[in-house]
PDB file of all heavy atoms in Angstrom:
ATOM      1  N   LEU A 128      -3.192 -10.497   8.457  1.00  0.00           N
ATOM      2  CA  LEU A 128      -3.051 -11.515   9.494  1.00  0.00           C
ATOM      3  C   LEU A 128      -3.551 -10.930  10.808  1.00  0.00           C
ATOM      4  O   LEU A 128      -3.118  -9.851  11.213  1.00  0.00           O
ATOM      5  CB  LEU A 128      -1.589 -11.937   9.626  1.00  0.00           C
ATOM      6  CG  LEU A 128      -1.304 -13.152  10.504  1.00  0.00           C
ATOM      7  CD1 LEU A 128      -1.866 -14.419   9.859  1.00  0.00           C
ATOM      8  CD2 LEU A 128       0.195 -13.309  10.722  1.00  0.00           C
ATOM      9  N   THR A 129      -4.464 -11.633  11.452  1.00  0.00           N
ATOM     10  CA  THR A 129      -4.992 -11.165  12.739  1.00  0.00           C
ATOM     11  C   THR A 129      -5.315 -12.357  13.618  1.00  0.00           C
ATOM     12  O   THR A 129      -5.628 -13.422  13.094  1.00  0.00           O
ATOM     13  CB  THR A 129      -6.286 -10.331  12.568  1.00  0.00           C
ATOM     14  OG1 THR A 129      -7.277 -11.121  11.944  1.00  0.00           O
ATOM     15  CG2 THR A 129      -6.049  -9.057  11.805  1.00  0.00           C
ATOM     16  N   PRO A 130      -5.267 -12.190  14.915  1.00  0.00           N
ATOM     17  CA  PRO A 130      -4.666 -11.049  15.616  1.00  0.00           C
ATOM     18  C   PRO A 130      -3.154 -11.202  15.715  1.00  0.00           C
ATOM     19  O   PRO A 130      -2.647 -12.315  15.790  1.00  0.00           O
ATOM     20  CB  PRO A 130      -5.328 -11.101  16.989  1.00  0.00           C
ATOM     21  CG  PRO A 130      -5.686 -12.533  17.197  1.00  0.00           C
ATOM     22  CD  PRO A 130      -5.923 -13.121  15.830  1.00  0.00           C
ATOM     23  N   VAL A 131      -2.475 -10.076  15.714  1.00  0.00           N
ATOM     24  CA  VAL A 131      -1.026 -10.065  15.867  1.00  0.00           C
ATOM     25  C   VAL A 131      -0.638  -9.128  17.004  1.00  0.00           C
ATOM     26  O   VAL A 131      -1.399  -8.227  17.373  1.00  0.00           O
ATOM     27  CB  VAL A 131      -0.273  -9.647  14.579  1.00  0.00           C
ATOM     28  CG1 VAL A 131      -0.579 -10.592  13.444  1.00  0.00           C
ATOM     29  CG2 VAL A 131      -0.571  -8.223  14.197  1.00  0.00           C
ATOM     30  N   ALA A 132       0.551  -9.351  17.540  1.00  0.00           N
ATOM     31  CA  ALA A 132       1.108  -8.509  18.597  1.00  0.00           C
ATOM     32  C   ALA A 132       2.626  -8.662  18.517  1.00  0.00           C
ATOM     33  O   ALA A 132       3.125  -9.480  17.745  1.00  0.00           O
ATOM     34  CB  ALA A 132       0.602  -8.969  19.963  1.00  0.00           C
ATOM     35  N   HIS A 133       3.312  -7.870  19.314  1.00  0.00           N
ATOM     36  CA  HIS A 133       4.751  -8.092  19.427  1.00  0.00           C
ATOM     37  C   HIS A 133       5.189  -7.899  20.865  1.00  0.00           C
ATOM     38  O   HIS A 133       4.517  -7.235  21.655  1.00  0.00           O
ATOM     39  CB  HIS A 133       5.563  -7.267  18.420  1.00  0.00           C
ATOM     40  CG  HIS A 133       5.846  -5.867  18.800  1.00  0.00           C
ATOM     41  ND1 HIS A 133       7.043  -5.487  19.356  1.00  0.00           N
ATOM     42  CD2 HIS A 133       5.114  -4.748  18.686  1.00  0.00           C
ATOM     43  CE1 HIS A 133       7.027  -4.177  19.564  1.00  0.00           C
ATOM     44  NE2 HIS A 133       5.872  -3.707  19.170  1.00  0.00           N
ATOM     45  N   LEU A 134       6.292  -8.567  21.197  1.00  0.00           N
ATOM     46  CA  LEU A 134       6.787  -8.643  22.567  1.00  0.00           C
ATOM     47  C   LEU A 134       7.552  -7.389  22.946  1.00  0.00           C
ATOM     48  O   LEU A 134       8.568  -7.063  22.319  1.00  0.00           O
ATOM     49  CB  LEU A 134       7.678  -9.881  22.715  1.00  0.00           C
ATOM     50  CG  LEU A 134       8.294 -10.131  24.083  1.00  0.00           C
ATOM     51  CD1 LEU A 134       7.213 -10.364  25.134  1.00  0.00           C
ATOM     52  CD2 LEU A 134       9.237 -11.329  24.003  1.00  0.00           C
ATOM     53  N   GLU A 135       7.097  -6.728  23.972  1.00  0.00           N
ATOM     54  CA  GLU A 135       7.742  -5.515  24.461  1.00  0.00           C
ATOM     55  C   GLU A 135       9.154  -5.828  24.960  1.00  0.00           C
ATOM     56  O   GLU A 135       9.345  -6.700  25.798  1.00  0.00           O
ATOM     57  CB  GLU A 135       6.918  -4.923  25.610  1.00  0.00           C
ATOM     58  CG  GLU A 135       7.428  -3.615  26.141  1.00  0.00           C
ATOM     59  CD  GLU A 135       6.486  -3.023  27.180  1.00  0.00           C
ATOM     60  OE1 GLU A 135       5.867  -3.779  27.935  1.00  0.00           O
ATOM     61  OE2 GLU A 135       6.380  -1.789  27.210  1.00  0.00           O
ATOM     62  N   GLY A 136      10.141  -5.158  24.384  1.00  0.00           N
ATOM     63  CA  GLY A 136      11.518  -5.337  24.811  1.00  0.00           C
ATOM     64  C   GLY A 136      12.225  -6.537  24.208  1.00  0.00           C
ATOM     65  O   GLY A 136      13.415  -6.727  24.418  1.00  0.00           O
TER      66      GLY A 136
END
Side-chain angles (χ1 to χ4, degrees):
L128 190 68
T129 60
V131 300
H133 83 98
L134 180 62
E135 184 174 34

